[in-house]
Amino acid sequence: MTLSAVATRYASALADVVTAGASALGPQDAAAELRSFESLLLSSPELHNALTTPAVPGSRKKAVVGRLADLLKLSRIARNFLFVLIDHRRIASLSEIIQSFEEIVDERLGFARAEVTSARELSEPQRTSLNAQLEQLTGKRIRMRFRVDESLIGGAVARIGSTVYDGSLRGQLASLETRLRAEA
């Protein structure tokens, strides 16, 4: 089983728990709690090494995670999930598991993720308008992530899954060039 398949399996199990009607922890809260632990883990090479090395017994790793969970005020669900990752030696995959978890939850809640690249930073009204247009095109609610690529000259490119909506000036010029060559 590949690492991403493993991450998806753990993420799916966590999503099952937090999206259950009786869950005391919502999906966004679970993601936020795990992100706070991930941030701590990534900020300390010593902690990362201690939790990922097979030389440290699982009971000691769980004791450390338990103390850190208390400091971070993590819920019982997040704490137990981290314990499961320790038990199965998957704590090194935490970042990938969190990313997979967020994608699974978005899918279950009817959201599509859009990666939007623009020539310059978009204003809030531009973001809102783009969000509405993408929601209309896809029929889903959209969660957008933005980045700037000055090589675009102008406009924006949105990627949702494998579909690309190219509204960039560079894309329009390439399209025009293709049409002109076809007519020649």
Side-chain angles (χ1 to χ4, degrees):
M1 189 178 300
T2 65
L3 186 58
S4 60
V6 169
T8 300
R9 195 163 93 194
Y10 283 94
S12 184
L14 180 60
D16 289 343
V17 170
V18 298
T19 58
S23 177
L25 184 66
Q28 286 75 20
D29 295 331
E33 288 184 12
L34 292 175
R35 286 276 180 212
S36 70
F37 185 84
E38 173 195 33
S39 176
L40 185 62
L41 188 63
L42 295 175
S43 70
S44 172
E46 296 84 8
L47 176 62
H48 185 271
N49 289 338
L51 294 180
T52 58
T53 183
V56 176
S59 59
R60 299 221 37 213
K61 292 177 184 180
K62 286 168 88 171
V64 169
V65 169
R67 283 192 216 114
L68 293 173
D70 288 341
L71 290 172
L72 295 172
K73 296 181 174 41
L74 300 185
S75 66
R76 185 182 54 80
I77 291 172
R79 175 191 312 254
N80 288 344
F81 183 72
L82 292 170
F83 287 164
V84 167
L85 295 181
I86 293 290
D87 288 341
H88 294 104
R89 298 186 193 127
R90 299 292 186 199
I91 199 73
S93 303
L94 181 61
S95 296
E96 189 175 1
I97 291 168
I98 294 170
Q99 181 179 347
S100 184
F101 170 75
E102 291 173 335
E103 291 170 5
I104 289 168
V105 167
D106 278 353
E107 185 177 307
R108 289 183 185 185
L109 297 176
F111 283 94
R113 288 175 171 243
E115 301 291 329
V116 178
T117 306
S118 58
R120 60 182 170 78
E121 193 68 36
L122 298 177
S123 67
E124 196 54 42
Q126 290 171 321
R127 289 177 181 213
T128 303
S129 173
L130 181 60
N131 192 358
Q133 290 172 359
L134 291 174
E135 285 180 351
Q136 187 176 16
L137 281 170
T138 63
K140 293 184 175 186
R141 294 180 293 174
I142 301 292
R143 288 200 202 273
M144 297 190 297
R145 280 193 232 157
F146 297 93
R147 74 181 182 91
V148 173
D149 179 359
E150 294 174 0
S151 72
L152 288 179
I153 304 170
V157 177
R159 177 182 301 273
I160 301 174
S162 62
T163 304
V164 176
Y165 300 97
D166 191 348
S168 69
L169 186 55
R170 182 175 61 190
Q172 292 173 11
L173 290 173
S175 176
L176 178 62
E177 178 184 20
T178 303
R179 283 192 311 233
L180 289 174
R181 287 181 188 224
E183 292 174 6

